[in-house]
Amino acid sequence: PNQYFSDAAPGHVGFKNTVETDQETSLIQVVGKYIRKTGDVSILKEEVAGKSVYDRMKWMIDYLMHEKYDQKHGLLTGALTADWGDVQANDDELVDITENSIITIDAYDNAMFAIALDYMAEMSKGDDKETWQKMRKDIADNTRKYLWDTQRNKIIPHVYIDKTPDLGDFDENDVHYHGGTAIAIEAGILTKEEIAIVNKQMLENVRLSGMPSIGLTLYPPYPEGFFHGNMSKPYIYQNGGDWTWFGGRMIQQLIANGYVAEAYDEIRPMIDRVIKNKGFFEWYGQGGVPSGSGHFKGSAGVLCKAIEMFNDWAKENKK
């Protein structure tokens, strides 16, 4: 992988995954959440290597618009990955865009951008606010336009910019992307009726796959050998593994949109396996086999947030 060094952090080896397009938007969301929680806006003026945090976030958006933006569709691009994943197909350079990379547009990257732009509008003062609001509307509208399948009521996995992958007789448009769908809901791109439809689709995918929960990354999985390494096999890692990290976000969106009973039923397998396995595992394979780190903070965080939302709902609806 590419490495870089900076006087701002001597001894630290920097690394940029160029395949994924959610790093900048994730950091902006973290800063926005911190300010919402604490009310501490002073962080925006803090300087890092001579530039304020707010200006650095503006730089991040400039980077995305210059390096990852497709003018034709008005959306961000990235390399071909499995839903929200950070590992590309068709190349041994798993995390670096190369001449062999297949460039795509997906709902996850752009929904994350829309959410980040909401935070930017919230954090900004003066003229910037309208800029972020307009950009956010354009990104959300174009995500809806190009990545929502009105016939099948589902997210389209990828829009391809130039090259397309060789998938044989496997039809990628049959694939349901659970993670990207959850984030698109968070970004307000689906209607309440559509949320109920995609949730039923997720439950049916769980039934057909035999996987433990709606944390199932995608269904059906990509054929064996399409991705490299262990992930070349179906139901491994991001190719159909079950990740609470994203399943928990779907639970949160069900609660936020009034589907509380459904959320309560669907979180149970995620809670039960934490208790059974005495840990917050990164992902689960077929048969509910825990895999990856047993102390995955992403899993713990989304479950904690969902439980807080259940408690808030219970207080508000106390009779």
Side-chain angles (χ1 to χ4, degrees):
N2 54 74
Q3 296 179 348
Y4 59 89
F5 302 86
S6 170
D7 292 338
H12 177 76
V13 180
F15 158 66
K16 172 86 176 148
N17 180 325
T18 53
V19 160
E20 58 180 321
T21 311
D22 65 349
Q23 295 158 96
E24 296 77 15
T25 54
S26 294
L27 192 143
I28 290 168
Q29 289 181 40
V30 167
V31 175
K33 287 174 182 177
Y34 167 79
I35 291 173
R36 267 190 198 171
K37 193 80 174 173
T38 65
D40 173 21
V41 294
S42 69
I43 190 174
L44 297 173
K45 293 180 181 177
E46 278 191 31
E47 290 201 352
V48 179
K51 204 164 188 69
S52 74
V53 168
Y54 182 74
D55 283 342
R56 287 193 172 276
M57 292 192 295
K58 286 173 70 174
W59 260 15
M60 291 176 196
I61 293 172
D62 285 345
Y63 163 78
L64 293 173
M65 296 302 286
H66 283 102
E67 300 294 328
K68 298 279 192 170
Y69 186 73
D70 179 69
Q71 290 284 352
K72 179 183 174 184
H73 298 90
L75 291 168
L76 299 184
T77 65
L80 170 55
T81 64
D83 195 1
W84 48 265
D86 56 357
V87 176
Q88 70 181 332
N90 296 69
D91 201 325
D92 288 328
E93 294 290 341
L94 299 179
V95 293
D96 289 327
I97 286 181
T98 71
E99 67 277 2
N100 298 320
S101 298
I102 295 173
I103 304 304
T104 74
I105 295 169
D106 66 50
Y108 168 69
D109 289 339
N110 287 284
M112 285 288 284
F113 192 29
I115 295 164
L117 290 166
D118 276 334
Y119 280 110
M120 287 299 287
E122 201 173 297
M123 291 185 281
S124 68
K125 304 290 182 191
D127 297 338
D128 280 351
K129 194 179 193 74
E130 286 187 12
T131 300
W132 306 137
Q133 287 172 333
K134 182 185 183 306
M135 192 180 287
R136 187 255 193 264
K137 184 180 187 306
D138 291 343
I139 290 291
D141 288 351
N142 288 333
T143 302
R144 176 83 192 187
K145 179 179 178 180
Y146 293 108
L147 288 157
W148 177 251
D149 187 331
T150 55
Q151 298 300 313
R152 304 191 194 196
N153 284 307
K154 64 181 282 293
I155 291 291
I156 293 165
H158 293 113
V159 171
Y160 292 95
I161 303 301
D162 43 32
K163 293 184 286 187
T164 56
D166 179 8
L167 282 159
D169 59 0
F170 181 82
D171 185 355
E172 190 183 37
N173 284 327
D174 288 339
V175 179
H176 294 258
Y177 272 7
H178 288 202
T181 300
I183 306 305
I185 293 169
E186 185 181 350
I189 291 165
L190 275 64
T191 66
K192 183 167 182 178
E193 182 185 12
E194 288 163 352
I195 294 167
I197 293 169
V198 297
N199 185 55
K200 285 178 183 173
Q201 291 171 352
M202 288 181 185
L203 290 171
E204 177 64 3
N205 293 340
V206 169
R207 186 186 72 79
L208 291 169
S209 68
M211 294 296 278
S213 83
I214 60 165
L216 172 67
T217 325
L218 50 82
Y219 182 83
Y222 286 89
E224 185 164 351
F226 182 66
F227 287 92
H228 294 189
N230 288 338
M231 192 174 146
S232 69
K233 294 184 182 299
Y235 303 111
I236 298 289
Y237 201 54
Q238 294 162 359
N239 188 19
D242 182 330
W243 296 68
T244 306
W245 191 30
F246 277 87
R249 297 189 214 192
M250 184 61 185
I251 299 296
Q252 292 170 21
Q253 292 312 308
L254 289 172
I255 301 167
N257 287 280
Y259 296 107
V260 182
E262 291 85 347
Y264 187 80
D265 287 341
E266 292 170 49
I267 200 174
R268 291 302 319 187
M270 301 182 202
I271 300 287
D272 291 345
R273 64 194 181 195
V274 169
I275 297 166
K276 178 185 176 183
N277 297 300
K278 298 178 180 175
F280 294 93
F281 280 84
E282 196 172 358
W283 62 279
Y284 293 81
Q286 286 182 306
V289 176
S291 303
S293 167
H295 305 281
F296 189 58
K297 294 181 178 65
S299 172
V302 293
L303 287 178
C304 182
K305 173 74 172 174
I307 291 166
E308 284 180 349
M309 291 174 73
F310 279 125
N311 287 336
D312 289 345
W313 180 88
K315 285 175 191 171
E316 289 168 12
N317 291 272
K318 203 171 185 180
K319 292 181 181 178

mmCIF file of all heavy atoms in Angstrom, residues 211-235:
data_model
loop_
_atom_site.group_PDB
_atom_site.id
_atom_site.type_symbol
_atom_site.label_atom_id
_atom_site.label_comp_id
_atom_site.label_asym_id
_atom_site.label_seq_id
_atom_site.Cartn_x
_atom_site.Cartn_y
_atom_site.Cartn_z
ATOM 1 N N MET A 211 -28.194 -17.090 6.957
ATOM 2 C CA MET A 211 -27.331 -16.287 7.825
ATOM 3 C C MET A 211 -28.114 -15.825 9.055
ATOM 4 O O MET A 211 -29.344 -15.874 9.077
ATOM 5 C CB MET A 211 -26.767 -15.108 7.041
ATOM 6 C CG MET A 211 -25.811 -15.537 5.933
ATOM 7 S SD MET A 211 -24.318 -16.339 6.552
ATOM 8 C CE MET A 211 -23.341 -14.902 6.988
ATOM 9 N N PRO A 212 -27.398 -15.334 10.088
ATOM 10 C CA PRO A 212 -28.071 -15.086 11.369
ATOM 11 C C PRO A 212 -28.976 -13.862 11.434
ATOM 12 O O PRO A 212 -29.961 -13.870 12.172
ATOM 13 C CB PRO A 212 -26.906 -14.927 12.356
ATOM 14 C CG PRO A 212 -25.683 -15.409 11.650
ATOM 15 C CD PRO A 212 -25.935 -15.235 10.197
ATOM 16 N N SER A 213 -28.658 -12.763 10.731
ATOM 17 C CA SER A 213 -29.416 -11.527 10.947
ATOM 18 C C SER A 213 -29.371 -10.633 9.704
ATOM 19 O O SER A 213 -28.672 -10.926 8.733
ATOM 20 C CB SER A 213 -28.842 -10.750 12.147
ATOM 21 O OG SER A 213 -27.728 -9.962 11.744
ATOM 22 N N ILE A 214 -30.079 -9.504 9.781
ATOM 23 C CA ILE A 214 -30.072 -8.557 8.658
ATOM 24 C C ILE A 214 -28.735 -7.845 8.523
ATOM 25 O O ILE A 214 -28.541 -7.056 7.603
ATOM 26 C CB ILE A 214 -31.208 -7.511 8.769
ATOM 27 C CG1 ILE A 214 -31.087 -6.690 10.062
ATOM 28 C CG2 ILE A 214 -32.572 -8.171 8.638
ATOM 29 C CD1 ILE A 214 -31.941 -5.433 10.062
ATOM 30 N N GLY A 215 -27.774 -8.157 9.427
ATOM 31 C CA GLY A 215 -26.406 -7.674 9.250
ATOM 32 C C GLY A 215 -25.734 -8.305 8.035
ATOM 33 O O GLY A 215 -24.644 -7.870 7.627
ATOM 34 N N LEU A 216 -26.367 -9.322 7.453
ATOM 35 C CA LEU A 216 -25.940 -9.915 6.181
ATOM 36 C C LEU A 216 -25.567 -8.786 5.217
ATOM 37 O O LEU A 216 -26.384 -7.948 4.891
ATOM 38 C CB LEU A 216 -27.111 -10.735 5.626
ATOM 39 C CG LEU A 216 -27.006 -11.307 4.221
ATOM 40 C CD1 LEU A 216 -25.933 -12.372 4.153
ATOM 41 C CD2 LEU A 216 -28.367 -11.875 3.798
ATOM 42 N N THR A 217 -24.303 -8.757 4.774
ATOM 43 C CA THR A 217 -23.834 -7.632 3.955
ATOM 44 C C THR A 217 -24.650 -7.485 2.692
ATOM 45 O O THR A 217 -25.109 -6.391 2.348
ATOM 46 C CB THR A 217 -22.364 -7.850 3.501
ATOM 47 O OG1 THR A 217 -21.657 -8.518 4.510
ATOM 48 C CG2 THR A 217 -21.705 -6.545 3.151
ATOM 49 N N LEU A 218 -24.810 -8.597 1.985
ATOM 50 C CA LEU A 218 -25.488 -8.552 0.689
ATOM 51 C C LEU A 218 -26.028 -9.935 0.364
ATOM 52 O O LEU A 218 -25.594 -10.941 0.930
ATOM 53 C CB LEU A 218 -24.513 -8.072 -0.405
ATOM 54 C CG LEU A 218 -23.147 -8.758 -0.502
ATOM 55 C CD1 LEU A 218 -23.218 -10.074 -1.278
ATOM 56 C CD2 LEU A 218 -22.133 -7.840 -1.155
ATOM 57 N N TYR A 219 -26.989 -9.971 -0.538
ATOM 58 C CA TYR A 219 -27.544 -11.243 -0.989
ATOM 59 C C TYR A 219 -28.131 -11.066 -2.385
ATOM 60 O O TYR A 219 -28.808 -10.085 -2.629
ATOM 61 C CB TYR A 219 -28.630 -11.751 -0.023
ATOM 62 C CG TYR A 219 -29.171 -13.085 -0.465
ATOM 63 C CD1 TYR A 219 -28.504 -14.267 -0.138
ATOM 64 C CD2 TYR A 219 -30.309 -13.160 -1.270
ATOM 65 C CE1 TYR A 219 -28.970 -15.493 -0.584
ATOM 66 C CE2 TYR A 219 -30.781 -14.388 -1.726
ATOM 67 C CZ TYR A 219 -30.107 -15.549 -1.386
ATOM 68 O OH TYR A 219 -30.550 -16.760 -1.838
ATOM 69 N N PRO A 220 -27.899 -12.036 -3.298
ATOM 70 C CA PRO A 220 -27.006 -13.184 -3.144
ATOM 71 C C PRO A 220 -25.538 -12.754 -3.177
ATOM 72 O O PRO A 220 -25.223 -11.689 -3.733
ATOM 73 C CB PRO A 220 -27.352 -14.049 -4.365
ATOM 74 C CG PRO A 220 -27.861 -13.086 -5.386
ATOM 75 C CD PRO A 220 -28.579 -12.031 -4.616
ATOM 76 N N PRO A 221 -24.629 -13.545 -2.611
ATOM 77 C CA PRO A 221 -23.210 -13.176 -2.630
ATOM 78 C C PRO A 221 -22.622 -13.303 -4.025
ATOM 79 O O PRO A 221 -23.180 -13.982 -4.889
ATOM 80 C CB PRO A 221 -22.570 -14.181 -1.671
ATOM 81 C CG PRO A 221 -23.485 -15.356 -1.688
ATOM 82 C CD PRO A 221 -24.868 -14.824 -1.908
ATOM 83 N N TYR A 222 -21.498 -12.629 -4.231
ATOM 84 C CA TYR A 222 -20.811 -12.722 -5.515
ATOM 85 C C TYR A 222 -20.231 -14.125 -5.691
ATOM 86 O O TYR A 222 -19.876 -14.784 -4.719
ATOM 87 C CB TYR A 222 -19.700 -11.674 -5.598
ATOM 88 C CG TYR A 222 -20.236 -10.274 -5.798
ATOM 89 C CD1 TYR A 222 -20.564 -9.471 -4.706
ATOM 90 C CD2 TYR A 222 -20.438 -9.750 -7.071
ATOM 91 C CE1 TYR A 222 -21.075 -8.189 -4.878
ATOM 92 C CE2 TYR A 222 -20.942 -8.472 -7.262
ATOM 93 C CZ TYR A 222 -21.262 -7.691 -6.154
ATOM 94 O OH TYR A 222 -21.773 -6.431 -6.334
ATOM 95 N N PRO A 223 -20.136 -14.588 -6.955
ATOM 96 C CA PRO A 223 -19.653 -15.958 -7.198
ATOM 97 C C PRO A 223 -18.221 -16.164 -6.738
ATOM 98 O O PRO A 223 -17.429 -15.215 -6.695
ATOM 99 C CB PRO A 223 -19.776 -16.106 -8.722
ATOM 100 C CG PRO A 223 -19.862 -14.722 -9.267
ATOM 101 C CD PRO A 223 -20.483 -13.882 -8.196
ATOM 102 N N GLU A 224 -17.909 -17.405 -6.407
ATOM 103 C CA GLU A 224 -16.575 -17.741 -5.922
ATOM 104 C C GLU A 224 -15.506 -17.322 -6.926
ATOM 105 O O GLU A 224 -15.646 -17.560 -8.128
ATOM 106 C CB GLU A 224 -16.472 -19.242 -5.635
ATOM 107 C CG GLU A 224 -15.155 -19.638 -5.008
ATOM 108 C CD GLU A 224 -15.186 -21.015 -4.379
ATOM 109 O OE1 GLU A 224 -16.281 -21.615 -4.267
ATOM 110 O OE2 GLU A 224 -14.106 -21.499 -3.995
ATOM 111 N N GLY A 225 -14.456 -16.674 -6.449
ATOM 112 C CA GLY A 225 -13.349 -16.265 -7.290
ATOM 113 C C GLY A 225 -13.443 -14.843 -7.800
ATOM 114 O O GLY A 225 -12.465 -14.307 -8.328
ATOM 115 N N PHE A 226 -14.606 -14.205 -7.644
ATOM 116 C CA PHE A 226 -14.737 -12.821 -8.139
ATOM 117 C C PHE A 226 -13.881 -11.876 -7.306
ATOM 118 O O PHE A 226 -13.171 -11.025 -7.827
ATOM 119 C CB PHE A 226 -16.201 -12.385 -8.116
ATOM 120 C CG PHE A 226 -16.415 -10.999 -8.663
ATOM 121 C CD1 PHE A 226 -16.183 -10.723 -10.003
ATOM 122 C CD2 PHE A 226 -16.832 -9.955 -7.839
ATOM 123 C CE1 PHE A 226 -16.357 -9.451 -10.518
ATOM 124 C CE2 PHE A 226 -17.013 -8.689 -8.349
ATOM 125 C CZ PHE A 226 -16.778 -8.428 -9.684
ATOM 126 N N PHE A 227 -13.948 -12.024 -5.986
ATOM 127 C CA PHE A 227 -13.032 -11.323 -5.086
ATOM 128 C C PHE A 227 -11.842 -12.242 -4.799
ATOM 129 O O PHE A 227 -11.940 -13.457 -4.961
ATOM 130 C CB PHE A 227 -13.730 -10.926 -3.791
ATOM 131 C CG PHE A 227 -14.690 -9.782 -3.963
ATOM 132 C CD1 PHE A 227 -16.033 -10.011 -4.234
ATOM 133 C CD2 PHE A 227 -14.258 -8.470 -3.871
ATOM 134 C CE1 PHE A 227 -16.916 -8.960 -4.410
ATOM 135 C CE2 PHE A 227 -15.135 -7.409 -4.042
ATOM 136 C CZ PHE A 227 -16.459 -7.655 -4.317
ATOM 137 N N HIS A 228 -10.747 -11.666 -4.368
ATOM 138 C CA HIS A 228 -9.547 -12.450 -4.097
ATOM 139 C C HIS A 228 -9.458 -12.803 -2.607
ATOM 140 O O HIS A 228 -10.186 -12.255 -1.792
ATOM 141 C CB HIS A 228 -8.308 -11.670 -4.526
ATOM 142 C CG HIS A 228 -8.233 -11.461 -6.016
ATOM 143 N ND1 HIS A 228 -7.124 -10.952 -6.647
ATOM 144 C CD2 HIS A 228 -9.132 -11.703 -7.008
ATOM 145 C CE1 HIS A 228 -7.349 -10.887 -7.954
ATOM 146 N NE2 HIS A 228 -8.562 -11.322 -8.188
ATOM 147 N N GLY A 229 -8.541 -13.727 -2.283
ATOM 148 C CA GLY A 229 -8.334 -14.098 -0.889
ATOM 149 C C GLY A 229 -9.497 -14.889 -0.326
ATOM 150 O O GLY A 229 -10.297 -15.476 -1.051
ATOM 151 N N ASN A 230 -9.611 -14.898 1.017
ATOM 152 C CA ASN A 230 -10.701 -15.644 1.659
ATOM 153 C C ASN A 230 -12.071 -15.159 1.218
ATOM 154 O O ASN A 230 -13.037 -15.916 1.182
ATOM 155 C CB ASN A 230 -10.584 -15.529 3.183
ATOM 156 C CG ASN A 230 -9.424 -16.324 3.725
ATOM 157 O OD1 ASN A 230 -8.964 -17.256 3.081
ATOM 158 N ND2 ASN A 230 -8.934 -15.961 4.899
ATOM 159 N N MET A 231 -12.131 -13.868 0.893
ATOM 160 C CA MET A 231 -13.411 -13.265 0.512
ATOM 161 C C MET A 231 -13.912 -13.775 -0.841
ATOM 162 O O MET A 231 -15.023 -13.476 -1.252
ATOM 163 C CB MET A 231 -13.219 -11.744 0.476
ATOM 164 C CG MET A 231 -14.490 -10.948 0.382
ATOM 165 S SD MET A 231 -14.075 -9.195 0.539
ATOM 166 C CE MET A 231 -15.286 -8.487 -0.550
ATOM 167 N N SER A 232 -13.082 -14.565 -1.542
ATOM 168 C CA SER A 232 -13.527 -15.112 -2.827
ATOM 169 C C SER A 232 -14.667 -16.100 -2.629
ATOM 170 O O SER A 232 -15.451 -16.348 -3.538
ATOM 171 C CB SER A 232 -12.363 -15.805 -3.550
ATOM 172 O OG SER A 232 -11.987 -16.974 -2.864
ATOM 173 N N LYS A 233 -14.791 -16.644 -1.424
ATOM 174 C CA LYS A 233 -15.878 -17.587 -1.146
ATOM 175 C C LYS A 233 -17.124 -16.840 -0.651
ATOM 176 O O LYS A 233 -17.013 -15.863 0.083
ATOM 177 C CB LYS A 233 -15.439 -18.600 -0.090
ATOM 178 C CG LYS A 233 -14.327 -19.526 -0.558
ATOM 179 C CD LYS A 233 -14.013 -20.569 0.490
ATOM 180 C CE LYS A 233 -12.874 -21.469 0.042
ATOM 181 N NZ LYS A 233 -13.184 -22.210 -1.187
ATOM 182 N N PRO A 234 -18.291 -17.275 -1.054
ATOM 183 C CA PRO A 234 -19.531 -16.654 -0.585
ATOM 184 C C PRO A 234 -19.674 -16.743 0.936
ATOM 185 O O PRO A 234 -19.207 -17.704 1.560
ATOM 186 C CB PRO A 234 -20.619 -17.466 -1.282
ATOM 187 C CG PRO A 234 -19.953 -18.070 -2.476
ATOM 188 C CD PRO A 234 -18.541 -18.330 -2.046
ATOM 189 N N TYR A 235 -20.316 -15.743 1.509
ATOM 190 C CA TYR A 235 -20.618 -15.648 2.944
ATOM 191 C C TYR A 235 -19.368 -15.510 3.808
ATOM 192 O O TYR A 235 -19.388 -15.843 5.002
ATOM 193 C CB TYR A 235 -21.492 -16.823 3.421
ATOM 194 C CG TYR A 235 -22.775 -16.920 2.647
ATOM 195 C CD1 TYR A 235 -23.012 -17.971 1.765
ATOM 196 C CD2 TYR A 235 -23.745 -15.923 2.748
ATOM 197 C CE1 TYR A 235 -24.183 -18.048 1.023
ATOM 198 C CE2 TYR A 235 -24.924 -15.981 2.007
ATOM 199 C CZ TYR A 235 -25.135 -17.044 1.148
ATOM 200 O OH TYR A 235 -26.284 -17.097 0.403
#
